[in-house]
Amino acid sequence: MTAPRRIWIDTDTASDDAVAILMALKHEATEVVGISVVAGNVPLHEATQNALYTVELAGATTPVHVGAERSLVRPYTTAQFVHGDDGMGDIGLPLSGRTPASHDGVQELIEAFRSAPGAIDLVALGPLTNVALDR
């Protein structure tokens, strides 16, 4: 068996991204080495809690890092009219109380890629704000 493909997921976690994260975490051919969260579909706090909930649901220990809270150039708007206020359809999931690994997702993303050049693939599911920032 070949080694799993190592990926880093950058996400604005709402229901669509949660499904993608869950699939990546559970697939035997992938190893999710980290997740950075960016504001997009929902505000940063909700997106972070959604990512943490999804990792927990998968039974994984992948670290989740908080990233950019707003857009760099244009006014920030959400897609809560599509995904619900909580980003997960407002169906009553327990989406609070979890603690991220760090509040510096941009730096964690940079360090992960610098520490393993060419060995990690970036899967960008949300706005590219975290990817665009350099600290």
Side-chain angles (χ1 to χ4, degrees), residues 6-112:
R6 300 179 73 214
I7 65 173
W8 182 285
I9 297 175
D10 189 65
T11 178
D12 59 341
T13 327
S15 55
D16 55 341
D17 291 9
V19 171
I21 293 167
L22 191 59
M23 290 173 65
L25 290 169
K26 298 303 276 183
H27 199 287
E28 63 188 30
T30 60
E31 175 191 355
V32 182
V33 298
I35 297 172
S36 50
V37 182
V38 62
N41 283 323
V42 292
L44 187 59
H45 175 75
E46 285 77 9
T48 301
Q49 288 300 311
N50 294 346
L52 290 163
Y53 174 79
T54 303
V55 169
E56 182 179 289
L57 184 67
T61 58
T62 304
V64 174
H65 306 278
V66 179
E69 188 169 15
R70 59 182 171 79
S71 305
L72 293 177
V73 178
R74 64 185 178 95
Y76 170 65
T77 58
T78 71
Q80 289 171 294
F81 65 96
V82 173
H83 296 285
D85 288 338
D86 67 3
M88 302 290 267
D90 295 327
I91 62 172
L93 297 173
L95 300 171
S96 63
R98 292 169 183 84
T99 305
S102 83
H103 288 272
D104 200 356
V106 173
Q107 188 60 40
E108 294 293 336
L109 187 152
I110 291 168
E111 287 179 16

